[in-house]
Amino acid sequence: MSLALDPAAQDLLFREARTANTFADEPVTDEQVQAIYDLVKYGPTAFNQTPLRITLVRSPEARERLVKHMAEGNRPKTASAPLVAILSADNEFHEELPALLPHFPQAKDMFFAERPVREQSAVLNAALQAAYFIVGVRAAGLAAGPMTGVDLSGLQKEFLDADHTPLMVVNIGKPGEDAWFPRSPRLSYEDVVTTV
Ligand SMILES: Cc1cc2nc3c(=O)[nH]c(=O)nc-3n(C[C@H](O)[C@H](O)[C@H](O)COP(=O)(O)O)c2cc1C
């Protein structure tokens, strides 16, 4: 009763949504990914900096190059998912800031002139956007399998550049057979929330 979101949507996005470990063959189209991005791009970031960048790994050749950087246990999932995305943070997001924050274009030089500050901000805010993206994948009726079990510096050299910090790899698709581990417990409200 306290939530405005339709209970079926609550289930789709959270209660029934699981992290898939196997995938069906059904392809994931660029149109689906665009619909997901066009939904989740409205999730908030600091100064609207929107630093998330998404690399879709589509060609078999690129998939092979990616799989070799994955931790052993993650390789079969990444090899078989219909689509795999590399999520990264753009440390030079400030170049877009005047366009993204037209009411306060000075923010670029006032707050983000220094690279270490930008890197910290980019990683935090791109990680937020990665979470929005995972929920967006679920909103499209698909399952996501986010993974940080990957050689991130190898991934950066293989697919990105020094201005992009890799965050995670996400397998995307309809779940396949035996797609889930048993659901693990979550911390309760009482465990997590403190009121002062
Ligand atoms: C940032 C992130 C990194 C993860 N890395 C891995 C990974 O490398 N390998 C893996 O099998 N699962 C990985 N997972 C999956 C988590 O273990 C899984 O989402 C969590 O246990 C919740 O599972 P559930 O959605 O089925 O309840 C990762 C999840 C997240 C969000």
Side-chain angles (χ1 to χ4, degrees):
M1 292 298 274
S2 301
L3 300 176
L5 191 67
D6 176 75
Q10 296 172 26
D11 286 343
L12 180 73
L13 300 181
F14 293 102
R15 269 189 298 266
E16 311 259 307
R18 299 296 312 280
T19 300
N21 294 296
T22 69
F23 294 89
D25 284 340
E26 201 178 312
V28 176
T29 65
D30 286 342
E31 289 71 25
Q32 284 172 297
V33 181
Q34 179 152 8
I36 291 164
Y37 181 72
D38 282 338
L39 179 66
V40 305
K41 69 185 179 187
Y42 292 108
T45 54
F47 293 98
N48 199 32
Q49 64 189 251
T50 329
L52 178 71
R53 300 294 178 262
I54 301 170
T55 307
L56 299 179
V57 181
R58 282 231 180 257
S59 74
E61 168 272 325
R63 184 75 67 103
E64 216 170 282
R65 286 196 286 128
L66 172 60
V67 167
K68 70 172 197 263
H69 293 287
M70 302 306 299
E72 190 96 18
N74 287 334
R75 283 182 191 165
K77 309 177 208 199
T78 302
S80 63
L83 180 62
V84 184
I86 298 168
L87 305 190
S88 63
D90 183 358
N91 298 308
E92 299 298 288
F93 66 84
H94 65 313
E95 298 297 352
E96 261 83 52
L97 213 52
L100 289 170
L101 201 68
H103 65 276
F104 187 27
Q106 312 89 299
K108 177 184 173 190
D109 298 322
M110 273 175 78
F111 297 103
F112 298 113
E114 289 167 28
R115 169 79 178 216
V117 175
R118 288 203 298 278
E119 279 180 17
Q120 200 179 23
S121 191
V123 166
L124 171 63
N125 286 281
L128 280 175
Q129 287 191 283
Y132 308 146
F133 180 76
I134 291 166
V135 175
V137 167
R138 294 169 168 190
L142 299 168
M147 293 174 302
T148 46
V150 51
D151 169 11
L152 288 169
S153 64
L155 193 67
Q156 183 173 27
K157 285 191 201 101
E158 188 85 46
F159 292 99
L160 307 170
D161 59 32
D163 289 335
H164 292 80
T165 303
L167 299 175
M168 68 188 75
V169 172
V170 185
N171 301 322
I172 302 169
K174 287 265 163 68
E177 297 215 345
D178 297 323
W180 333 119
F181 298 130
R183 183 70 124 174
S184 299
R186 300 303 202 255
L187 295 176
S188 70
Y189 178 84
E190 291 74 21
D191 290 329
V192 168
V193 178
T194 310
T195 306
V196 293

